[in-house]
Amino acid sequence: MNEFLLEAETISNEFEHFLNSSFDQQDIKTLTFLFDRSQKALKKLKVSTFLIDSLTNRLKEEFNENLGVKITGAGGGGCLLLVHNELVTEEHLIRLLSNFDVKLYYNVKIN
């Protein structure tokens, strides 16, 4: 548990630093890395589910470093946050996620 708390604090500090700096489209890789790192820590804490892990794995297989994904909520799934660059389209996400029993709410942009 202490290992998780240390990792969570490190990730949180890096997110805070990222958000306080001037955002550039090139920085999307930093953000995707932080999302993925956060998801891995949450999976170790066992707040993820088989469905979440399956979705995360499939998304990462398809988009690799072009997309970051992490679970959010009160534990046990419910919502995934995705961050991606312009190479990932809404149509592509819809097609990919159609194999799962999930809904896609999309199109929050950071400029």
Side-chain angles (χ1 to χ4, degrees):
M1 182 62 126
N2 286 340
E3 181 184 323
F4 171 78
L5 293 176
L6 212 65
E7 178 71 358
E9 183 177 5
T10 300
I11 294 167
S12 178
N13 290 337
E14 290 180 28
F15 265 118
E16 184 177 8
H17 174 74
F18 177 84
L19 293 172
N20 288 330
S21 63
S22 59
F23 184 81
D24 180 314
Q25 275 301 104
Q26 298 300 318
D27 293 329
I28 200 75
K29 285 190 181 192
T30 300
L31 196 53
T32 60
F33 173 76
L34 289 171
F35 266 55
D36 293 340
R37 191 168 158 201
S38 178
Q39 178 58 26
K40 286 177 186 171
L42 292 167
K43 184 177 176 180
K44 280 185 188 175
L45 192 60
K46 300 190 184 322
V47 295
S48 194
T49 65
F50 178 76
L51 176 59
I52 295 291
D53 294 341
S54 297
L55 277 165
T56 301
N57 292 337
R58 184 64 188 104
L59 288 164
K60 291 308 292 180
E61 285 171 10
E62 185 77 19
F63 301 114
N64 202 359
E65 76 275 355
N66 295 311
L67 178 137
V69 59
K70 74 174 288 306
I71 192 173
T72 188
C79 186
L80 284 178
L81 295 176
L82 308 176
V83 61
H84 60 82
N85 64 21
E86 67 281 350
L87 298 176
V88 179
T89 65
E90 182 176 6
E91 292 78 20
H92 202 167
L93 285 170
I94 289 169
R95 183 185 52 75
L96 185 75
L97 295 175
S98 68
N99 298 322
F100 297 90
D101 186 24
V102 297
K103 291 186 171 80
L104 176 65
Y105 298 97
Y106 184 79
N107 211 10
V108 176
K109 292 184 180 182
I110 301 173
N111 291 322

